[in-house]
Amino acid sequence: MDLDFFFKPNGIAVVGATKKMKGGYAIVVNLKAGYKGPIYPVNPRYDEIEGLACYPDIESVPDPVELAVVFVPAPAVPGIVRACAKRGIKGVMIESAGFSETGPEGAALQQELKDIVAETGIRVWGPNCVGLVDAKNRHVFSFVSPAIWNEGPIPGRVSLVVQSGMLAGGFLVDTMSHGTMGVSKVCSIGNKADVSETDLLQYLLSDPDTEAVAMYLESIPDGRLFTRLCAGAKKPVVVLKGGKSERGAAAAMSHTASLAGNGAVVSGALAAAGVTEAVDFKQMMDLSRALAMVKNPPSSGRVAVLTYSGGAGIISTDFLYEQGLSAATLSGGTKEALARVFPEWMPVNNPVDLWPAVEKNGAGPVYTAAMEAVAADEGVDALLLHVYIGGLALTLDPDHMAAVAKKTGKPVFIWLIGEAAGARNFHLKAQEAGIPVFRELYRAVECMAAVFHQARGKRHAPLPDASAGPAPSGDFSFLERSGVLDEYDAKKLLAACGVETVAEAVADSPEKAAALAQELGFPVVMKGLAPGEVHKTERGLVTLGVASGEQAEKEYARLSGLVGEKGRVLVQKQAAGGPELICGMFRDPQFGPTVMAGLGGVYAEVLADTAFGLAPLSEDAAVDLIGRLKTQKLLDGFRNTPPVDRKALARVLTALGNLAVWFPRVSQVDVNPLICVKGKPVAVDATVILE
Amino acid sequence: MDLDFFFKPNGIAVVGATKKMKGGYAIVVNLKAGYKGPIYPVNPRYDEIEGLACYPDIESVPDPVELAVVFVPAPAVPGIVRACAKRGIKGVMIESAGFSETGPEGAALQQELKDIVAETGIRVWGPNCVGLVDAKNRHVFSFVSPAIWNEGPIPGRVSLVVQSGMLAGGFLVDTMSHGTMGVSKVCSIGNKADVSETDLLQYLLSDPDTEAVAMYLESIPDGRLFTRLCAGAKKPVVVLKGGKSERGAAAAMSHTASLAGNGAVVSGALAAAGVTEAVDFKQMMDLSRALAMVKNPPSSGRVAVLTYSGGAGIISTDFLYEQGLSAATLSGGTKEALARVFPEWMPVNNPVDLWPAVEKNGAGPVYTAAMEAVAADEGVDALLLHVYIGGLALTLDPDHMAAVAKKTGKPVFIWLIGEAAGARNFHLKAQEAGIPVFRELYRAVECMAAVFHQARGKRHAPLPDASAGPAPSGDFSFLERSGVLDEYDAKKLLAACGVETVAEAVADSPEKAAALAQELGFPVVMKGLAPGEVHKTERGLVTLGVASGEQAEKEYARLSGLVGEKGRVLVQKQAAGGPELICGMFRDPQFGPTVMAGLGGVYAEVLADTAFGLAPLSEDAAVDLIGRLKTQKLLDGFRNTPPVDRKALARVLTALGNLAVWFPRVSQVDVNPLICVKGKPVAVDATVILE
């Protein structure tokens, strides 16, 4: 995506520049402080601002000019954008507020901007944003008060995209002024009338100054393109999604759709694309700086913990396992090497409590020896160091430590506490040398885990690798109806798509019911299918354990009475086994067709343990999806239940995804329950909802 | 507990005082800087140290002297303690290392200390500790380098007890030097040869300078006394328990005992006692400062969020619900009051996005008006303010904000970001005024939740309120055996203790089996009980669904063959219903008899969702215990399953607790499954293990 004219424009016009101590003044001052190209203030009331020639209107601005930064009242903005387009300006960054965030009038103005973009091809950034900062090039295209830029932003390797303007500004200031993290580009994208998170992601993924992208987003309108970019990205992406607890507006007739609330679809799509999901603001920054600093870690996460406190070592171990990492088992050779710096009485194990050794031989030599010893161990993938600064015989030199860390060639993470000034000094130096430092132990482990999981999580792009292939042939005339298909037709459709369904047939008389039951083998299940009914159990339309021909005849009479002339009666083999699953498909407003899987009934609904992925879904991606269920242990066989064939289960999910592609009129599908009979999933009941 | 002679002794001897730049010098300098009583360095090599007369030995130290701080090599320590006891000194604080932490020789020295304590009644603090700091009285009884005390510790209302010496020192230095939290007393208790966490808890709970107690503990040897103290405490207690992932050494023949690993017993006992459990070090400090600052909150946790960013508001709401709090619903009157400062187009809802109002009317007036408006709402229990410091038109005055907060009379919590120096200034001032400030949003909400939950969690002391009452009478001669009771005897015992058990009888012939089955009603369950066998299902000794007399006779033959002459065959009514639970009792090495409950089979074992409480357990405490299950929703009725009678379930747990008291030879009990039939729990299978 060529958005260079936003990031390194050849010439900038500032529409709304002023000499008053307001945003329009700050933009000019900020530009002058770092931007090397020509700056053209535009305001009919001035001839010059800050020593720069000021122009009455955009038409009179001389060449070269590629970008206009606009900070005037909202109603004047559309006219200015038109003039910019006419003038041949490529991009407009609208920092004024007063658009769709303010109600119908503002929304109309924003629509006008979109129309101009569509007509003229000019690109619009914002409105209602705080602009753009490029720390490396010292570009500050923002009305944010110049005071904070006095020392210049600290350049780093993480680029930030933030939808909320206030948060973008606030976070930038917080991060910069604390000094413990640099950033590359910070993009506040506001109302996203045109330039979107997806555009910027594409740009930043190919930006040589960006090693990781962190994004705070309240909406991801083109969820599919966004996740496709993430899945294909060679750089780590961290996303904090706001408003996940707000349910989508989609009518949720199926379980699948109703389980999709609480951001489960977003989380599923992001996880499948290898995105690290953040839950809080500072945590997002911590995750992204760790990901930007530690690249290409080994594939497993066996961690050696070096500590000055046995207790903190033990708590670290708890955290490692909680986060899906493990405590490395040290080899005999490593233990021998460590024993050389330890007092004799001290047993050496991971976590390695260095304190007795430090008392004997001093902190510097002991930390160095221990780092070298554990890093040389083939069973160790990364080091977690506990560092205390501020006396207590634990003085450590960050430069020396960084040199040792570098030599080891393995990722080193530091948990740091201590006397404020000394600790800060150590923090800054270690960070500079490429060692991520954290002030809370849990955060350190969380970030280590993110680095390892991110490296592992990039295998199965949900798109465009997967393809549904050709649609099945057959008589699907029932799909021309609308509303709810009955269970029999629903399963006919599933079977055609490759899902194994339970043996069953429709009975049209009591005698036929008895004969079918005999044929299927007792006990059977009998169901009354009434048009449009999706709550059969609750309406008394499901009878389990029908054990004789006589009972089948009676049930036929009862059920056919209940469902009436338009209904029908189904006789079905009674599937037994376990575990029970629920799976389905629905169309998400942002992410399109989406497949869901979860453990059955109680698990899915009470524990809300479900996983979502975008359709079409390759078999590998479906296996991954299953692996994201928290209760997946239940699939591995329990007491007398055989383990579930995960590949067979994955094929059901793939089939559901394909179904979504092949039959666009199908809006929602529930397979509930999907019972595993001797480990093989069989669809026992299903609901299909047509557009 | 009178430990005043440790905290405010009348006269201190420093054994191991020196003029060299070592710990024994630092102790003297630290004492001189704050302690007002007489100080007596003891060292035969000097006449004076730092202008103080130095004495050759403890015997020659003049009166008054109540405390000796000892910092000499470990082997010399026991002799010194004896001399102190003889000299009439009440307490000895041993800061030297080299005791049980170093192996057998050190352990012998430590045992000698314990013997001296038992013989003489002198109290010993440590060894292997960094001593004691009392910030208010400027008492620093520690060898920790004097440099960090230059500005003196910052007095606060939280007292800290830390088992690990290094962490105690490290944390104190970290906390003090960052300046954003004061402490009252910091106690490093080291190896706990005598003075224990329980002693100090008792002391601090009646210390007028302590409003909350935070403890990092690696062991709680007298778990019952400790939790009893916490349960009765009027001050909040926060505990971070190290080493929770290490399993107890107890042989775990029962499910109950094996599920007790991972610190579940500690967590259960602490939760029942109203203790706030921390998971990380800094988090422990944050929790305790919040608990010390905000006292007596209302009983519900309905929170109004005031923010400058809609996105952060939404994320706050997610966090509130995740933590068991809720977003307050604002009254019509409140919305009207807020509308007065808002632009017309802006809808007013909680979370309240103040930014548009701030743009219109300025930050100060808008925050004030909004705080006053939401605090006046009867539906609001607490305020969560998002504050940004550092320009962006959001300048706020902490003093004014504190004054407004005070006037509202409701708890106010602040999430703060911004420009480092300005934010720190705001932070310090707001904290000083009694408003807890947090730099991470999630932490702010977590601490709010701790305050509300702590206020609610103090209802049911596990001890000494509960009492088992008189033991049941009956023939319990089978309890004189050892090892495993068979299922039949196990349930006889449970029934005697008041647990409803499934109808069943022992058959001694095929005919008897058929007759019993007829009597109980088909289908029945038949089980073979072999002596000492606890895995009946796995051994093919359980047959469900025996449907006829003929089948019962056949099963009798098969089972009696399998269990042999010493076994017996049980015929049992087949209990149907749901949900299935597991519960039990075992004796924890630290906490004594403990009761467990969890959702059945798969839930308890795969999801490890169990809750533990100390026996005897009152019915109210048992109801609370059930309420701590994460999967407790499954008890509330699901589809066609009626809700579980929680009081009846609580009575089962109470009975298990009483059983532990009445029958000391019973070491472990499993009731698995406990099936709820029409909502009433019935013990279907049980295992009792004798000492």
Side-chain angles (χ1 to χ4, degrees), chain A residues 223-469:
Chain A
R224 291 179 90 78
L225 177 55
F226 184 83
T227 46
R228 187 194 295 160
L229 285 170
C230 293
K234 293 207 171 52
K235 300 174 186 175
V237 179
V238 182
V239 171
L240 171 57
K241 176 71 177 61
K244 279 174 63 176
S245 64
E246 290 183 314
R247 273 164 184 266
M253 280 187 76
S254 66
H255 283 289
T256 305
S258 69
L259 289 167
N262 295 312
V265 175
V266 184
S267 293
L270 294 178
V275 172
T276 302
E277 204 179 345
V279 297
D280 200 357
F281 299 102
K282 178 156 188 312
Q283 184 222 21
M284 175 177 77
M285 306 301 273
D286 287 335
L287 287 167
S288 53
R289 75 184 159 95
L291 286 161
M293 288 171 92
V294 185
K295 276 160 291 186
N296 309 317
S299 60
S300 57
R302 298 163 302 172
V303 179
V305 180
L306 304 183
T307 182
Y308 52 84
S309 152
I314 290 166
I315 287 184
S316 301
T317 309
D318 288 0
F319 289 164
L320 288 173
Y321 284 96
E322 202 181 312
Q323 287 284 326
L325 303 172
S326 65
T329 306
L330 302 180
S331 73
T334 306
K335 288 187 184 186
E336 272 170 41
L338 285 168
R340 268 171 238 141
V341 292
F342 270 64
E344 243 171 73
W345 54 266
M346 185 73 186
V348 179
N349 271 310
N350 185 24
V352 189
D353 183 356
L354 299 175
W355 180 243
V358 167
E359 279 193 307
K360 192 181 159 201
N361 298 313
V366 167
Y367 269 76
T368 303
M371 285 171 72
E372 285 171 351
V374 298
D377 193 320
E378 280 180 16
V380 172
D381 298 313
L383 279 64
L384 173 58
L385 263 55
H386 296 180
V387 172
Y388 170 82
I389 295 295
L392 301 181
L394 266 171
T395 313
L396 290 164
D397 172 32
D399 295 325
H400 180 67
M401 187 170 265
V404 176
K406 203 160 199 170
K407 238 175 45 191
T408 69
K410 291 189 176 168
V412 174
F413 288 72
I414 288 178
W415 171 52
L416 174 70
I417 65 169
E419 181 272 318
R424 186 179 155 80
N425 177 50
F426 183 96
H427 192 158
L428 294 175
K429 287 197 162 178
Q431 285 268 146
E432 216 172 284
I435 307 179
V437 175
F438 303 89
R439 303 304 306 260
E440 300 208 21
L441 179 52
Y442 189 81
R443 182 61 48 79
V445 176
E446 195 179 23
C447 289
M448 288 189 98
V451 165
F452 282 98
H453 297 165
Q454 213 273 342
R456 267 184 247 152
K458 289 249 165 203
R459 282 167 304 166
H460 310 298
L463 280 169
D465 299 352
S467 145

Side-chain angles (χ1 to χ4, degrees), chain A residues 174 177 245 280 318 420 442 602 634, chain B residues 177 245 280 318 418 420 442 602 634:
Chain A
D174 189 279
S177 63
S245 64
D280 200 357
D318 288 0
Y442 189 81
V602 177
L634 295 168
Chain B
S177 64
S245 66
D280 200 357
D318 289 1
Y442 189 80
V602 178
L634 295 168

Side-chain angles (χ1 to χ4, degrees), chain B residues 422-435:
Chain B
R424 185 178 155 81
N425 178 48
F426 184 96
H427 192 158
L428 294 175
K429 287 197 163 180
Q431 285 268 146
E432 214 172 285
I435 306 179

Side-chain angles (χ1 to χ4, degrees), chain A residues 115-145:
Chain A
D115 294 343
I116 299 168
V117 167
E119 277 166 39
T120 64
I122 196 169
R123 297 304 305 266
V124 166
W125 177 305
N128 188 31
C129 72
V130 304
L132 165 65
V133 172
D134 176 338
K136 185 186 172 194
N137 296 307
R138 299 201 67 158
H139 288 177
V140 179
F141 303 168
S142 176
F143 64 90
V144 169
S145 158

Side-chain angles (χ1 to χ4, degrees), chain A residues 128-179:
Chain A
N128 188 31
C129 72
V130 304
L132 165 65
V133 172
D134 176 338
K136 185 186 172 194
N137 296 307
R138 299 201 67 158
H139 288 177
V140 179
F141 303 168
S142 176
F143 64 90
V144 169
S145 158
I148 64 160
W149 306 121
N150 287 349
E151 296 175 29
I154 303 168
R157 314 293 291 164
V158 174
S159 286
L160 199 59
V161 177
V162 185
Q163 187 164 346
S164 156
M166 280 310 305
L167 280 176
F171 253 86
L172 185 59
V173 171
D174 189 279
T175 306
M176 291 294 110
S177 63
H178 283 83

